[in-house]
Amino acid sequence: MSTSTLDRTRPQDDTTSITSWEATRLVARREVRVKLRDRAFIISSLFTLLIVAAATILPSLFGGGATSVATVGEVAQRAAVTVGAEATVVDSPAAAEALVRDGTVDAALVPDTVGGSPFGVKILALSEAPNDLVSGLSTPSPVQLLDPSAVDPFLAFIIPFAFAIIFFMTSLTFGLSIAQSVVEEKQTRIVEILVAAMPVRALLAGKVLGNAVLAVGQIVLIVAAALVGLTISGSDLFTADVLGQLSAAMLWFVPFFLVGFLLLAGLWAVAGALVSRIEDLGSATTPVQLLVMLPFFAVIYGSSQPSLMTWLSYVPFSAPTAMPVRIFTGDIAGIWEPLLSLAVMAVSAVLVIGLAARLYEGSLLRTNGKTSIKQAWQARG
């Protein structure tokens, strides 16, 4: 069957034709039903939720161990021994403060020059004084926080990693599902029947919409599981302020993920349409996989560099993870930043989906091997 013999925009029989929106809904509903009946998909989703819940609860179980402190003077050394802390003797308060700032020790006990402590020592801590150190002293000692707004080092690493891995795995899973669905329909030539019954762009939109619904649904469940786990963990890491910041970042992550997924979904569909066999899908999807993988590593390795994260939060392919991370760390100038980032992503998604739709139309009915992007572009119309 040649491409020219097919009406790729609308069926010829007006008595049985359906609107583009109706066709889109039909395809989307089919995509959702097929996935929800897939036992492997259900099991993997439940397994993911269990991992997320465990990841939010386990930090409270592994957060124990003796507190390490730097001590200045004999009184501070005796106080450290009294509370069971691991003491590191230093010569001056400045040296003790340096050890706290670089993370070598959890806190420091230094002479209290103001005289507010009956024991003559004061606790230096970065963002929060260790509870066992404060409570271990019979009378509370004065506490000076060197950086009250600092995020716990463990959370500073695990939160960017969590956002990045969730976006990476979910977009990869559902993106590959779109590509596989397209190439399977081409390989079995079912696509020729589908195109004869509905507009090509409605077929593309239905596949993207159906998988987007599934992906966002999974993200919402993951966010809910994480919030429940954080609430019941009882870890000192998750204070009320930290939970508030994390909840806000998670809620923002949902719309960022949705727009980011739509940005990539059209490209996944094009990758499937460019080949005619499942065996060739790997090479065709490699460029799209790179667009998912590179931002993943950029956010992981750049999470400790605020200037780099600022740039990444406005790059459409990395913004879905970079901006929620910045919201969590409080490194945004105001709510206008995530709104602006979303707007940039939305405009990019519209442009990319428009380009993808043209390439999809030009390559979908070519079943004689691989189709180049140039051929797909010129074949359209």
Side-chain angles (χ1 to χ4, degrees):
M1 180 180 294
S2 65
T3 301
S4 60
T5 63
L6 292 173
D7 180 359
R8 296 183 297 174
T9 58
R10 187 174 296 277
Q12 297 296 325
D13 186 358
D14 292 335
T15 62
T16 60
S17 64
I18 58 177
T19 66
S20 294
W21 173 238
E22 290 172 338
T24 299
R25 288 171 54 193
L26 285 173
V27 176
R29 189 180 299 118
R30 176 183 177 276
E31 292 288 325
V32 172
R33 285 178 177 176
V34 169
K35 272 294 184 182
L36 294 181
R37 291 173 182 172
D38 185 354
R39 183 176 299 178
F41 170 73
I42 295 174
I43 293 175
S44 64
S45 298
L46 292 175
F47 185 67
T48 300
L49 294 178
L50 288 175
I51 291 178
V52 171
T56 55
I57 295 174
L58 288 179
S60 63
L61 302 179
F62 294 98
T67 299
S68 58
V69 297
T71 61
V72 179
E74 294 183 4
V75 175
Q77 293 178 37
R78 288 196 297 269
V81 172
T82 300
V83 300
E86 296 179 356
T88 299
V89 179
V90 294
D91 297 329
S92 66
E97 179 178 329
L99 292 180
V100 174
R101 289 188 179 277
D102 64 20
T104 303
V105 295
D106 299 320
L109 292 175
V110 301
D112 179 22
T113 57
V114 179
S117 169
F119 299 99
V121 295
K122 177 175 64 174
I123 300 174
L124 292 181
L126 190 62
S127 59
E128 184 178 3
N131 290 337
D132 59 340
L133 191 60
V134 176
S135 60
L137 300 175
S138 57
T139 301
S141 298
V143 176
Q144 176 186 346
L145 300 181
L146 302 176
D147 189 0
S149 62
V151 178
D152 183 274
F154 175 78
L155 294 179
F157 165 77
I158 200 63
I159 296 303
F161 180 81
F163 280 127
I165 195 67
I166 289 173
F167 182 79
F168 173 76
M169 293 303 298
T170 306
S171 60
L172 188 65
T173 298
F174 289 99
L176 281 174
S177 177
I178 294 174
Q180 289 172 355
S181 176
V182 172
V183 74
E184 285 172 359
E185 290 172 354
K186 287 189 64 174
Q187 191 167 356
T188 59
R189 305 187 77 89
I190 292 177
V191 67
E192 297 174 357
I193 301 175
L194 294 173
V195 170
M198 66 181 64
V200 173
R201 294 201 175 200
L203 181 60
L204 171 62
K207 289 184 178 296
V208 171
L209 179 60
N211 282 275
V213 169
L214 289 167
V216 172
Q218 189 173 86
I219 290 296
V220 170
L221 290 176
I222 289 174
V223 169
L227 291 177
V228 171
L230 292 173
T231 302
I232 67 176
S233 66
S235 171
D236 292 338
L237 293 175
F238 303 115
T239 62
D241 290 340
V242 171
L243 281 175
Q245 286 179 272
L246 189 53
S247 298
M250 287 179 170
L251 293 176
W252 272 105
F253 180 64
V254 174
F256 270 95
F257 173 85
L258 175 59
V259 179
F261 181 81
L262 293 177
L263 179 66
L264 292 166
L267 299 180
W268 285 110
V270 170
L274 290 176
V275 297
S276 302
R277 302 185 308 160
I278 288 290
E279 294 81 1
D280 298 326
L281 189 59
S283 59
T285 58
T286 297
V288 190
Q289 292 184 49
L290 290 176
L291 289 177
V292 177
M293 293 176 62
L294 293 179
F296 168 77
F297 289 110
V299 171
I300 292 297
Y301 292 107
S303 59
S304 60
Q305 304 177 42
S307 58
L308 176 59
M309 289 295 288
T310 299
W311 283 104
L312 290 176
S313 63
Y314 291 101
V315 176
F317 295 103
S318 58
T321 51
M323 184 57 78
V325 169
R326 291 185 62 215
I327 292 172
F328 170 70
T329 58
D331 186 30
I332 57 173
I335 195 173
W336 63 267
E337 281 209 71
L339 291 176
L340 177 59
S341 179
L342 267 178
V344 172
M345 288 178 59
V347 172
S348 301
V350 170
L351 296 175
V352 170
I353 290 175
L355 173 64
R358 173 162 179 165
L359 295 175
Y360 182 80
E361 284 184 299
S363 58
L364 186 61
L365 292 174
R366 290 176 171 266
T367 57
N368 56 344
K370 295 182 180 180
T371 302
S372 68
I373 293 179
K374 181 179 179 180
Q375 289 173 327
W377 184 268
Q378 293 176 342
R380 189 256 186 190

